[in-house]
Amino acid sequence: MSDIALTRPVPVTTEPPLARYLLIGLAAVFVALFLFAPLVTVFVEALRQGWVGVIDALRLPDAQAAIRMTLTIAAIAVPLNATFGIAAAWAITKFDFRGKAFLITLIDLPFSVSPVVAGLMLVLLFGANSTLGGWLIANDMPIVFAFPGILLATLFVTFPFVAREIIPVMIEQGRTEEEAALTLGASGWRTFFTVTLPNIRWALLYGVLLCNARAMGEFGAVAVVSGKIRGETATMPTMVEMFYNEYLSVAAFTLAAVLAMLALLTLLLKSLLEWRHAELLAATRRH
Amino acid sequence: MYHTIRIGGHSLAQGTFLRSLDDGRIEIDAGHARLSGHPVTPLHPSDAGRLRGALRKTLTGAYLRSGILTAVAAIGLTLTGTATLKAQDNVAILNVSYDPTREFYREYNTLFNAWWAAQGNAPVAVQQSHGGAGAQARAVIDGLPATVVTLALSADIDTISERTGLLPADWQTRLPHNSSPYTSTIVFLVREGNPRGIQDWDDLVADGVQVITPNPKTSGGARWNFLAAWAYAGRNGLDPAQFVGTLYRNVPVLDTGARGSTTTFTQRGVGDVLLAWENEAFLALASLGEDKFDIVVPSVSILAESPVALVDGNITSDAQRAAAEAYLQHLYSPEAQALATRHYYRAWDTSQAAAEDIARFPELELVTIADFGGWPVVQTEYFGEGGIFDQIYEE
């Protein structure tokens, strides 16, 4: 009897402490090993010659051109795909039409197509050997191996991010609120800005951030269409590879560190916004 | 020719041009001192690139202010911007080259620009693109606007000529030495102390030896590797197909370019021996430490000619043609030849090369591509679709 009384009661709704610590420890080790360690390595390699090496690397014209290129590409690709994503999600969730399932599958296509194939498709479509590409090049409007090609490749691979984030939220919310707004006499645009947009804003933000991260980090598709012209058509990820291949590992890892910083900044921005608008966020989620 | 440069924030200086520095600055002789600074009249008149850069900057700012519509308009602007600016007479050369020449051309471009300016010409902006030779040729065929190609073997340039007609079929007769200003050969790079005791080609087919070489389908260097091994087998009474087949069974990774293979071997630590361009092997020693690797010279190797050519079809102006032709011809000048020698290439004119640079090259028996019947024959027979390499690799 007394034996039983001395045993600490274990709540049946949770795991025993040992299992709990083991699981937490396992997760921590995993995160440290596969996420934290590689990230730290990037920064350690970049700082191998101290801050002087980093500053020298960032002063290389090729590095600066690559950073400018990547930021420009992201600044154009992200708003375009955000607009597209909202339009697609709106069409899919607010209307019934033939081929809706097909459209959803089509939006997912860039996820399933390998980036290399995406790049090669652009080369086949706009390269010198196609009719369209031949005409464009003859008229001094080259697409592949120039800025537009890199933009198109980035647009293609980041195509689904925003739409994919918004569609589930909009499906879950249904059409009742919009219908109410419309019956009360609001115009289409007003309904969108006062009813729909506030409801989807967090999903939209998350989609935009993911889209941005991928737009800046894309390598495969961009490498195929970039033509590797230094200072002209090199983005940050392709420049990292070029520097590495030229035994300029400090420059390569400095640029990689800048890329990582941009990604971390994106995440920080997301957390900050979530934290500041925690209540709003909770309210949206209650819907 | 006088140049004006900007020193610090507001002061200017004038003097005769001495040389271009890597970061866009130039060095001038101002009479009392040598000064360096950014030229006031741009030395690199790649105005298209500069303006596009400025456009990009404004774009980014504008987008933040007025949103998506600006961004959409911006694409149009960039497209038309590229078009109108290209039409202007700015002398820029795009040199599409292969992997191991990166370091050489970085210095040669400075050398050429200094010499070109000294002749009283407007300076030229030389842009570089590097990759596996086969892949680079493919990119030129697909529309990469190369002004000059400097590739690993003539077959790559032949392919461009055949598929696009951008340059005549007899391009290789236009410059001396089969249009090859520098040559190299194939040697072995092994780990320090040569733990596997590799001395010659027959050591590469031993059980358990891992050989690193790129894919002959995409890499010019890899084709020279293949042919050198073939030549060794032929000279030593072995069945070449069988010998080379065994060798390729010892290859764990086939990279697309020579530099990829070098990285696999030196930085990722895969393999016992790297079949490398002689210049690439020396460069790896110089960049990564002489105490990590040794060069082993086999009894037989191949004279690897790396030709250069003007891509006539991509020339947009007479000024560009003149600059591009001079760019290629100046590769044969004693100074450029000395520079090539310093970058571990076997050049023709060693009159200005340093004695210790020349002394690095060991004597060895070199077969030539002519012994195989020339590149047009070799390309289809050995490396074409269903050719000898395909047959060997399928086994």
Side-chain angles (χ1 to χ4, degrees):
Chain A
M1 287 287 267
S2 59
D3 283 356
I4 295 164
L6 283 173
T7 317
R8 266 220 329 252
V10 177
V12 287
T13 52
T14 178
E15 310 293 331
L18 186 69
R20 222 161 52 214
Y21 294 135
L22 212 69
L23 281 174
I24 294 173
L26 202 69
V29 166
F30 200 80
V31 167
L33 217 63
F34 291 98
L35 282 177
F36 198 61
L39 197 62
V40 169
T41 316
V42 169
F43 287 97
V44 168
E45 285 290 329
L47 286 169
R48 177 147 287 184
Q49 288 165 19
W51 288 102
V52 184
V54 171
I55 290 163
D56 280 351
L58 287 177
R59 285 177 60 173
L60 291 172
D62 288 342
Q64 288 177 357
I67 294 172
R68 253 198 324 271
M69 184 66 152
T70 292
L71 292 180
T72 314
I73 293 283
I76 298 175
V78 173
L80 276 182
N81 272 341
T83 318
F84 159 77
I86 295 171
W90 179 272
I92 284 166
T93 56
K94 306 295 175 193
F95 303 102
D96 292 312
F97 54 90
R98 264 171 192 279
K100 196 159 140 174
F102 182 63
L103 184 63
I104 298 177
T105 317
L106 219 56
I107 289 173
D108 274 346
L109 192 71
F111 273 158
S112 48
V113 171
S114 159
V116 176
V117 178
L120 288 176
M121 290 189 308
L122 286 176
V123 171
L124 285 182
L125 196 60
F126 296 112
N129 296 321
S130 75
T131 321
L132 180 61
W135 182 83
L136 285 166
I137 290 168
N139 286 282
D140 251 331
M141 281 186 287
I143 302 285
V144 287
F145 310 121
F147 180 80
I150 299 171
L151 181 63
L152 284 177
T154 311
L155 276 176
F156 184 87
V157 293
T158 59
F159 207 53
F161 282 93
V162 177
R164 268 286 129 197
E165 286 300 318
I166 304 179
I167 290 172
V169 177
M170 283 176 88
I171 287 177
E172 201 187 319
Q173 282 172 345
R175 306 174 189 173
T176 44
E177 289 184 22
E178 277 87 356
E179 280 165 3
L182 288 169
T183 50
L184 288 170
S187 68
W189 282 115
R190 180 140 187 232
T191 312
F192 174 73
F193 282 111
T194 54
V195 179
T196 313
L197 197 60
N199 279 338
I200 60 164
R201 76 169 90 150
W202 295 107
L204 177 62
L205 179 69
Y206 194 65
V208 163
L209 290 172
L210 281 180
C211 181
N212 185 50
R214 180 67 189 268
M216 292 196 296
E218 176 56 26
F219 176 78
V222 168
V224 177
V225 297
S226 94
K228 298 174 183 141
I229 309 171
R230 303 176 61 110
E232 279 289 304
T233 64
T235 61
M236 282 169 80
T238 52
M239 203 64 228
V240 168
E241 198 218 11
M242 283 187 227
F243 279 147
Y244 185 72
N245 279 343
E246 285 160 39
Y247 304 105
L248 301 168
S249 58
V250 169
F253 281 100
T254 301
L255 212 54
V258 174
L259 206 55
M261 294 282 277
L262 284 172
L264 289 176
L265 194 74
T266 310
L267 285 178
L268 188 76
L269 216 64
K270 173 181 154 278
S271 313
L272 212 68
L273 283 170
E274 276 179 355
W275 171 69
R276 275 197 60 182
H277 299 280
E279 276 177 30
L280 270 175
L281 186 64
T284 325
R285 282 210 176 127
R286 267 203 303 277
H287 270 285
Chain B
M1 187 173 172
Y2 269 83
H3 278 267
T4 309
I5 58 167
R6 193 177 290 282
I7 316 162
H10 302 282
S11 40
L12 298 173
Q14 271 191 332
T16 47
F17 177 86
L18 289 173
R19 65 197 180 106
S20 318
L21 302 173
D22 283 342
D23 54 6
R25 293 183 302 152
I26 58 169
E27 193 169 286
I28 58 160
D29 182 359
H32 55 94
R34 297 175 127 205
L35 299 168
S36 56
H38 286 280
V40 171
T41 37
L43 181 67
H44 299 287
S46 89
D47 291 327
R50 202 178 301 272
L51 280 174
R52 241 178 290 148
L55 200 63
R56 267 177 225 144
K57 273 185 228 155
T58 20
L59 276 191
T60 329
Y63 147 66
L64 291 172
R65 268 178 270 117
S66 53
I68 299 148
L69 281 175
T70 325
V72 178
I75 299 173
L77 269 180
T78 315
L79 282 173
T80 46
T82 319
T84 43
L85 290 167
K86 278 265 166 69
Q88 281 174 17
D89 192 33
N90 60 62
V91 183
I93 301 178
L94 174 59
N95 178 2
V96 173
S97 193
Y98 63 115
D99 265 331
T101 57
R102 294 166 200 255
E103 290 76 12
F104 167 68
Y105 277 111
R106 196 185 301 151
E107 285 193 36
Y108 174 70
N109 291 345
T110 314
L111 178 92
F112 169 75
N113 242 321
W115 171 80
W116 185 241
Q119 306 295 304
N121 296 295
V124 179
V126 186
Q127 296 162 343
Q128 288 292 140
S129 171
H130 293 274
Q136 291 291 82
R138 175 82 243 185
V140 174
I141 292 167
D142 283 331
L144 183 64
T147 324
V148 297
V149 282
T150 54
L151 294 175
L153 36 84
S154 56
D156 291 319
I157 305 181
D158 281 338
T159 313
I160 300 174
S161 166
E162 277 162 29
R163 295 247 189 153
T164 65
L166 286 172
L167 63 170
D170 66 342
W171 62 269
Q172 203 164 7
T173 59
R174 296 194 291 188
L175 288 164
H177 300 294
N178 287 330
S179 286
S180 307
Y182 41 78
T183 67
S184 191
T185 184
I186 301 299
V187 296
F188 305 159
L189 194 67
V190 296
R191 305 209 178 271
E192 174 65 17
N194 198 359
R196 286 283 187 164
I198 290 161
Q199 298 304 334
D200 209 344
W201 291 98
D202 54 345
D203 295 318
L204 304 184
V205 297
D207 276 342
V209 172
Q210 287 199 321
V211 183
I212 305 296
T213 174
N215 186 347
K217 290 283 189 176
T218 54
S219 158
R223 280 175 240 173
W224 292 115
N225 292 347
F226 181 101
L227 294 174
W230 194 277
Y232 171 84
R235 302 236 155 175
N236 290 276
L238 301 161
D239 174 16
Q242 200 188 2
F243 180 81
V244 177
T246 320
L247 196 158
Y248 272 89
R249 268 192 287 284
N250 281 348
V251 179
V253 212
L254 278 181
D255 288 287
T256 52
R259 191 51 68 88
S261 280
T262 311
T263 314
T264 299
F265 181 76
T266 57
Q267 268 147 297
R268 291 182 208 136
V270 179
D272 301 308
V273 53
L274 172 75
L275 305 189
W277 293 100
E278 185 176 46
N279 56 294
E280 188 79 352
F282 275 117
L283 181 68
L285 282 193
S287 304
L288 302 164
E290 306 224 345
D291 53 340
K292 288 190 184 139
F293 308 100
D294 287 333
I295 290 177
V296 172
V297 180
S299 61
V300 181
S301 198
I302 192 157
L303 177 74
E305 292 179 329
S306 306
V308 301
L310 184 77
V311 188
D312 304 63
N314 284 342
I315 302 287
T316 52
S317 69
D318 289 345
Q320 193 189 32
R321 172 181 287 274
E325 276 173 353
Y327 181 80
L328 293 183
Q329 272 154 14
H330 197 61
L331 283 168
Y332 293 89
S333 70
E335 312 89 77
Q337 294 273 303
L339 187 67
T341 310
R342 185 145 60 77
H343 281 278
Y344 318 110
Y345 286 95
R346 293 179 182 230
W348 304 102
D349 181 348
T350 51
S351 60
Q352 285 196 21
E356 71 261 28
D357 288 347
I358 304 167
R360 286 189 302 228
F361 298 117
E363 293 283 328
L364 74 160
E365 190 192 346
L366 295 173
V367 296
T368 68
I369 192 64
D371 299 337
F372 287 89
W375 272 113
V377 178
V378 171
Q379 187 57 30
T380 32
E381 215 169 279
Y382 289 78
F383 306 112
E385 201 57 44
I388 293 171
F389 175 73
D390 280 349
Q391 293 162 22
I392 286 174
Y393 207 67
E394 267 165 27
E395 277 168 16

